[in-house]
């Protein structure tokens, strides 16, 4: 409870000459630490996950995962991030390797090593380390072709939340028609 002693304080020194109590100085205090939850929140990703836009013409979502079988299939979501890591749980069938890329607010996300591709195989985790606090649009796309690996996005974990409204559909799209290299076969050495 509050007492009268708790709610009253001496007025600050008007001269600011440091002759008063050190606690009464005009110096600013330490910056506040961000208020992070004790445990990050994990969101299962599936066809019913609110706020997630599923990308890719032939991309199918089920009740337990989002399938990313074709090139440029994946997800896009807007998050209210309190800072820290964003982690995606991803798997591939038959442990075959697949490559994925992540964008934050339209910019390619680089790993601390400078790599822009995440290689996943079997059960894997894609970690975006030290994402700054704020509202961000995150896009995760498979960049290799269907025959290289069928991938599934299972969940996302972050300090914060997924906003309920998915990012808006784009007004225009570009379709690339070509050969196996166009669809991602052999594009990553």
């Amino acid at each position: 409870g509050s007492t009268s002693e708790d709610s009253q304080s001496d007025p600050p020194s008007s001269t600011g000459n440091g002759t008063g109590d050190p606690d009464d100085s005009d110096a600013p205090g330490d910056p506040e630490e961000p208020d992070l939850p004790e445990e990050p929140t994990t969101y299962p990703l599936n066809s019913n996950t609110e706020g997630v836009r599923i990308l890719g013409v032939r991309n199918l979502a089920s009740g337990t995962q989002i399938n990313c079988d074709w090139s440029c299939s994946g997800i896009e979501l807007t998050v209210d991030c309190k800072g820290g890591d964003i982690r995606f749980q991803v798997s591939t069938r038959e442990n075959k390797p697949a490559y994925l890329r992540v964008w934050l607010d339209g910019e390619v996300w680089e790993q601390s090593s400078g790599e822009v591709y995440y290689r996943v195989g079997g059960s894997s985790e894609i970690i975006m380390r030290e994402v700054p606090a704020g509202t961000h649009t995150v896009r995760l796309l498979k960049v290799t072709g269907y025959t290289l690996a069928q991938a599934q996005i299972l969940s996302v974990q972050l300090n914060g939340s997924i906003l309920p409204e998915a990012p808006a559909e784009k007004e225009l799209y570009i379709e690339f028609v070509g050969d196996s290299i166009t669809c991602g076969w052999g594009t990553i050495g």
Side-chain angles (χ1 to χ4, degrees), residues 62-109:
S62 72
T64 59
Q65 65 197 27
I66 296 175
N67 297 321
C68 297
D69 294 339
W70 299 95
S71 300
C72 296
S73 59
I75 60 171
E76 190 172 48
L77 57 145
T78 303
V79 297
D80 177 19
C81 181
K82 305 301 182 197
D85 297 347
I86 297 178
R87 298 169 180 264
F88 291 95
Q89 288 298 321
V90 181
S91 68
T92 60
R93 294 188 185 128
E94 302 173 7
N95 293 326
K96 290 184 178 179
Y99 289 87
L100 291 94
R101 286 181 84 171
V102 180
W103 285 259
L104 183 73
D105 299 326
E107 299 290 325
V108 172
W109 182 264

Side-chain angles (χ1 to χ4, degrees), residues 43-55 66 74-80 88 135-140 156 158 161-169:
Y43 294 89
L45 297 174
N46 57 56
S47 58
N48 299 314
T49 306
E50 186 177 44
V52 175
R53 184 161 74 101
I54 299 172
L55 306 170
I66 296 175
I75 60 171
E76 190 172 48
L77 57 145
T78 303
V79 297
D80 177 19
F88 291 95
T135 301
H136 301 291
T137 300
V138 179
R139 176 182 280 207
L140 174 63
V156 62
L158 70 145
S161 59
I162 298 174
L163 296 184
E165 189 170 324
E169 292 280 336

Side-chain angles (χ1 to χ4, degrees), residues 9 13-15 17 31 145 160 165:
S9 64
S13 168
S14 60
T15 61
N17 61 10
E165 189 170 324

